[in-house]
Amino acid sequence: MTRPDPSPTTVFAPWDDPDEPPLIRFDNVTKRFGDFTAISGLTLDIYAREFFALLGPSGCGKTTLMRMLAGFETPSEGVISLGGQDIGPVPPNKRPVNMMFQSYALFPHLSVADNIAFGLKRSGNMTRQQISARVDEMLELVQLGKFGKRKPHQISGGQRQRVALARALAKAPKLLLLDEPLAALDKKLRAETQFELMDIQEKLGTTFVIVTHDQEEAMTVASRVAVMDHGRLVQVATPERIYEFPNSRYVADFIGEVNLLDGAVLRKTKAGLTISWAEGQPPIAAQGPEDLQKGANCTFAIRPEKITISSDKPEGCANALSGRVLDIGYLGNISTYHVELANGQVIKAQMANNRRLSRRAFSWDDEVWLSFTDSAGVVLTA
Amino acid sequence: MSRRFSWFNATSLTLGFVFLYLPITILVIYSFNSSKLVTVWAGFSTKWYGVLFRDQAYLDAAVITLKVALVSSTLATILGTMAAWVLVRAGRFRGRTLFSGMIYAPLVVPDVITGLSLLLLFIALGLNRGIGTIILAHATFSMCYVSVVVSSRLVSFDQSLEEAALDLGCSPFDAFRSVTLPIIAPAVVSGWLLSFTLSLDDLVISTFASGPSATTLPMKIYSQVRLGLNPEINALSTILISLVTIGVIASSLISKRASVRRQRQEQQALAQS
Amino acid sequence: MNLRRLALIAVPYGWLLLLFLVPFGIVLKISLSDQALAIPPYTPTFDLAGGWAGIKSFFTGLDLENFTYLTTDNLYWKAYLSSVWIATLSTLLTLLAGYPIAYAMARARPEWRPTLMMLVILPFWTSFLIRIYAWIGILGQTGYLNQLLLWSGLISKPLVILNTPVAVYIGIIYAYLPFMVLPIYATLEKLDSDLLEAAEDLGCSRFSAFWLVTFPLSRPGVIAGCFLVFIPVVGEFVIPSLLGGSRTLMIGKVLWDEFFSNRDWPTASAVAVVLLLILIVPIILFQRHQQRQQELDA
Ligand SMILES: Nc1ncnc2c1ncn2[C@@H]1O[C@H](COP(=O)(O)OP(=O)(O)OP(=O)(O)O)[C@@H](O)[C@H]1O
Ligand SMILES: [Mg+2]
């Protein structure tokens, strides 16, 4: 934990450094409940000072993963180590790991200050003064200085959530686990709290592992994101890479909106691939993996905002498709256009609304052209 | 709260239920003892049941007890439901605090005091003590239990349903009969059952309230039991315990089946929509 | 509508006035009356025909003689003290026996809980008298317990349990256990298991998590259970009368004997009034506690 601050010029990317020891290592971990496998053969490294997000659909095993880290579940197979040591035999109350519960789990019979002091009193090596000083410090950190004497039911939902955070942070754990910490908050408060969390994480340098359902949240706060499915990791990468270069249909579809076009490699040249994908539609020119053979099945994935809409056929663009506007979804700052091609395929394209609505360029049933460059999308084989 | 069920938990539950059920079980087993000495096993026999059934005093007491229980619990249910309505729905009126006090007080006042005070009332009024006064006494304390049970149901039920019925043209009485009553019916029924059991069970208040002409079953049992163990009482206890057990299990099965059926119907409705 | 409302209020109200409140008035009045032999009328009588003079003579006729009598005879205050003592001790014992049961029920699998609950309630539906009677056979000189202990060789002479306070404690615990278990179970069942995990996460052992989280949070149930046992036990009659023998003094039994054996109605009434006064404090405390809990839940 005594790693020097990364200087602002070097990017924080310990996962690219082969000499960097991970803080947490999951080594081929499997967890079964009876004959149901919640986590299967999972291997993962998480580094100190990371803000690591677990993302995945309900029931994919995110909470189970966290509970194994906190010590409430033991792996059926495999080893979890923290700072190089197997933590399997360590009970939850002896782990340098604290968890912020999804339900907050604030003790209703204790005041806010006593809730925060709860863990400190257990450690047994702090004097009363030290404890109360630490409690005050934590209350300041989460901006609840005046609320120490209140009981949990006398404060608001957002404040409760911050108490839970302060309580989990008070013992300065090596690792803080946050299980859907913001699920109960409204959108605005959630956004504020996300930035607050990042702020606190930066200030304290604690490693955070956060579970969330909300992909936007994961993209905002995380240094890396792990996308899970049915107890397996599908992709672990930085938010940008997950968004721009998903490694599978599953990830592309799970994170953000995407158009998925199934096809096969028609030609392969130095400059890239050509994919034939539908009868009567021009093949798509794209950049793709080297190892893809001619004739192989693949999927072309492209985000709606990477597609430009125009009324005339654009010149010199790698790909251009023509279609008819089926539907327009107005989202305030942007609009999503659903464009139906001649073969019936519907493609989503997004455009910023930098003009007033009444002066919008396209309307329902307009014939339009969709265009995108050959590097706008990715070619997926899984 | 659902976590690992430890050895300690298993032991406490086992010991607890042994403690609760062993005495009753022994009682039932020894009711089939042929010996007159209750605690000395001398072989299986049902003779004490025969003796019991030929004992006119027990039969008379049983008849009186049943009569008292049926009439008093019905009376208590009517009065208690009215009282519950008054507590929850009648709004403010003068003397409401006293009223709710009088509803809750009998639940905590010792039986000996209730019994004594009722007896003194009956004497002051010059009533002939007997089955009638026992019924009055039982109806009085049972109605308080009924009103507590029914009012908790009334509180949790949405008043706008009643208002909707009024809005649709019901008279207040119709609204009560066609909307409120069906919804609180389960509470009314359990109130009746509770009154019935309390009445069957009561010794102290009945003793005060009755005259020489009426002896209820608990009074008869008490007068026997005070003298010590008695094989007839064992037989009688076994019969009463069996009746209660059958009743409780049957009613819980019925209510369980009803809730299962309701769930299934809801699922079907969901599937069809 | 209003007439109907009036009638709806009047019927139960009148009933309770006549059959609950007025009788208490009579008890109070008789407790203040002179001791007359055995049968009514007890002086003074309230004579409306006598007009003002009648009312005056009615009030001057009242005195605290019976209450002073209670203080002079050892029997009464000893009986009060011993009732309160027995009730206190047996409440604590019931708590000790009931808490682990409630705790185990709350930790049992959810699909088992309704059955366990029914098993706890079921004895409540069977006759109280019979359940107490069952213990006579167990605790007596030649009872099943002594038979078992003699047979196993643990004792060589039968223990004397029946007709002692010990038998009364056993009877009380047995009869009132459900009243302790159910409210505690209700609070424990609501307890969020996340709280216990949070406590462990913050460094508690299982044991200290119990004392720092589970127990404090189950306090409302513990308090309710204690009141539900204590209040009726103070005035209990059947248990001391069947299991306690002549050596166990409890006020409910004294009242009964005073009334049915000595036929001393004024003294019996005075005993009742004092018993009620003793109980009024816990009853009010209990009422307050329940109200506060309701407000907290809402
Ligand atoms: N104690 C348990 N016993 C049996 N099955 C369990 C247990 N805990 C979790 N599971 C199962 O393991 C799977 C993963 O559960 P987990 O709680 O980790 O999901 P999750 O990803 O956190 O989902 P959510 O987003 O809904 O919180 C689920 O199918 C769940 O039913
Ligand atoms: Mg979860």
Side-chain angles (χ1 to χ4, degrees), chain A residues 33 36 38 56-65 73 102 179-180 211 213:
Chain A
F33 294 108
F36 175 79
S58 188
C60 70
K62 307 179 295 287
T63 299
T64 307
L65 201 67
E73 307 284 1
Q102 186 172 353
D179 192 355
E180 304 199 34
V211 163
H213 259 127

Side-chain angles (χ1 to χ4, degrees), chain B residues 40-79:
Chain B
V40 183
W41 184 259
F44 180 89
S45 146
T46 52
K47 77 172 176 199
W48 298 112
Y49 290 86
V51 173
L52 180 72
F53 283 122
R54 281 189 300 274
D55 195 331
Q56 193 57 39
Y58 282 110
L59 290 179
D60 291 345
V63 169
I64 287 177
T65 310
L66 273 179
K67 273 188 198 161
V68 168
L70 280 173
V71 179
S72 74
S73 57
T74 308
L75 207 55
T77 306
I78 295 168
L79 286 166

Side-chain angles (χ1 to χ4, degrees), chain A residues 33-187:
Chain A
F33 294 108
D35 52 8
F36 175 79
T37 308
I39 299 285
S40 64
L42 183 134
T43 297
L44 172 67
D45 286 347
I46 299 174
Y47 295 86
R49 310 181 63 92
E50 264 206 83
F51 202 132
F52 194 89
L54 289 170
L55 200 55
S58 188
C60 70
K62 307 179 295 287
T63 299
T64 307
L65 201 67
M66 296 280 248
R67 289 171 58 82
M68 288 196 287
L69 274 174
F72 298 124
E73 307 284 1
T74 41
S76 313
E77 279 164 33
V79 175
I80 302 174
S81 43
L82 181 80
Q85 268 180 329
D86 178 8
I87 52 168
V90 185
N93 51 337
K94 301 270 160 52
R95 294 191 183 191
V97 174
N98 284 132
M99 178 146 165
M100 182 182 157
F101 287 75
Q102 186 172 353
S103 61
Y104 307 154
L106 296 180
F107 302 121
H109 58 304
L110 300 179
S111 68
V112 164
D114 285 339
N115 261 287
I116 297 174
F118 192 93
L120 301 172
K121 286 183 183 159
R122 304 282 89 67
S123 58
N125 51 12
M126 284 174 90
T127 65
R128 203 172 279 235
Q129 283 82 5
Q130 283 171 321
I131 290 178
S132 87
R134 178 72 178 158
V135 169
D136 289 342
E137 192 187 330
M138 295 321 296
L139 282 172
E140 280 314 309
L141 181 72
V142 295
Q143 300 164 18
L144 286 172
K146 284 191 286 234
F147 295 92
K149 291 218 168 51
R150 300 246 190 122
K151 288 278 179 70
H153 64 91
Q154 293 165 323
I155 57 179
S156 76
Q159 290 167 336
R160 256 176 250 167
Q161 175 261 321
R162 281 182 279 165
V163 176
L165 180 63
R167 185 179 71 178
L169 282 169
K171 288 179 82 175
K174 279 191 185 163
L175 175 64
L176 184 71
L177 306 173
L178 305 130
D179 192 355
E180 304 199 34
L182 312 182
L185 303 185
D186 65 57
K187 205 171 155 81

